């Protein structure tokens, strides 16, 4: 169940259905008899994994709780596989994930629908062009170096990204290719080795109109989270992405700040959401466990030093020798 776009006022309407109420909704809305139901972690919506029998006569007396509210209810097929957060990722697999991100944006170019304009989500907090909206949530951060860095990121974004958006190539972004939204399964390579291959992509709920470089930056940021060598990640992702969609000079120049901006979005909104839902802290703070450290490291090294690592690593793929 989802409350819609992640705007400030809507955070207060996160669904709080019990398992019994969720089971009743499955039966009344979709006509399936629930044999087993279990909660799944979520950010600003509410998820359940449901095992169902084939069908059941729908019921009209669903208990939706003491208050009457409207929610979007979806039922999706459960995909097999393991989130890449649970497995060790090689350089080659990072390259393939970068390539996947670009191929996904290319595929979305062919997506047509009469209501496609709703993906112009002007005040959607998770669209990377809306980094300045983070100013509305800064009260969630205490006075610290972390807050100072985010304030710098927001100001630099206004000065160096907002003024260049017209030079970026527009597309529809998945917008949330994080390490829990990409599933992998073991398969055999041509040489017979067991390797993880992408088996599914989850959570298209943050789709919106953006830019190719946004998808690259978002993917780099999330792949850094679980890495033991986070700064090196960007070069492998970039190489894979550019094997499908080479970035322009202007887009490449913005990449460092865009990665910092996505870190800022994730970290600030996690802190804000924890104030609202402290019982969900473990899930909400997944990024924060390493994210603040990675953001600080990027700022300490500076754009030039980080870009040198990224761009040299990406260039090494041209000769067939990845770093």
């Amino acid at each position: 169940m989802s409350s819609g776009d992640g705007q400030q006022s809507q955070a207060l309407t996160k669904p709080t259905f019990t398992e019994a109420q969720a089971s009743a909704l499955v039966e009344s809305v979709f006509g399936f008899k629930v044999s087993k139901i279990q909660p799944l972690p979520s950010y600003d919506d509410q998820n359940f994994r449901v095992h169902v029998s084939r069908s059941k006569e729908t019921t009209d007396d669903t208990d939706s709780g003491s208050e009457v509210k409207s929610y979007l209810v979806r039922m999706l097929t459960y995909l097999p596989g393991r989130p890449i957060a649970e497995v060790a990722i090689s350089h080659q697999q990072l390259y393939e994930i970068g390539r996947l991100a670009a191929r996904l944006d290319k595929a979305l170019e062919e997506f047509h629908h009469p209501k496609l304009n709703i993906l112009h989500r002007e005040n959607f907090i998770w669209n990377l062009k809306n980094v300045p909206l983070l100013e509305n949530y800064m009260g969630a951060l205490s006075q610290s170096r972390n807050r100072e860095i985010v304030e710098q990121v927001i100001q630099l974004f206004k000065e160096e990204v907002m003024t260049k958006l017209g030079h970026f190539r527009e597309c529809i972004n998945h917008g949330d290719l994080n390490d829990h939204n990409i599933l992998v399964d073991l398969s055999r390579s041509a040489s017979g080795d067991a390797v993880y291959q992408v088996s599914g992509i989850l959570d298209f709920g943050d789709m919106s109109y953006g830019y190719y470089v946004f998808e690259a930056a978002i993917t780099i940021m999330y792949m850094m989270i679980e890495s033991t060598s986070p700064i090196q990640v960007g070069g492998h992702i970039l190489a894979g992405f550019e094997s499908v969609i080479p970035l322009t000079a202007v887009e490449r120049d913005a990449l460092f700040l865009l990665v910092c901006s996505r870190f800022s979005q994730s970290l600030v909104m996690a802190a804000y959401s924890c104030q609202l839902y402290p019982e969900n802290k473990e899930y909400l703070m997944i990024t924060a466990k390493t994210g603040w450290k990675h953001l600080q490291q990027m700022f300490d090294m500076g754009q030039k030093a980080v870009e040198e690592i990224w761009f040299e690593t990406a260039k090494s793929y041209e000769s067939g020798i990845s770093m």
Side-chain angles (χ1 to χ4, degrees), residues 83 103 105 126 152 164 202 210 224 256 265 313-314:
R103 289 176 60 204
D105 279 6
W126 292 107
Q152 284 183 266
K164 297 176 182 176
L202 304 179
M224 290 175 66
F256 172 86
Q265 282 181 315
T313 299

Side-chain angles (χ1 to χ4, degrees), residues 251-318:
E251 290 166 341
R252 266 192 164 212
D253 187 56
L255 193 58
F256 172 86
L257 185 53
L258 288 172
V259 173
C260 292
S261 296
R262 185 53 166 205
F263 267 119
S264 298
Q265 282 181 315
S266 183
L267 294 165
V268 170
M269 295 311 297
Y272 173 77
S273 297
C274 276
Q275 292 183 337
L276 298 178
Y277 311 112
E279 72 282 357
N280 201 23
K281 183 175 180 179
E282 182 178 357
Y283 177 77
L284 292 170
M285 298 301 285
I286 287 174
T287 300
K289 290 178 181 178
T290 57
W292 285 115
K293 180 177 65 176
H294 296 342
L295 180 58
Q296 287 181 10
Q297 183 183 11
M298 290 182 68
F299 249 65
D300 289 343
M301 292 179 64
Q303 179 172 346
K304 184 177 180 180
V306 173
E307 284 182 344
E308 184 176 350
I309 294 171
W310 287 354
F311 297 163
E312 285 301 312
T313 299
K315 188 177 180 179
S316 72
Y317 279 84
E318 296 176 9

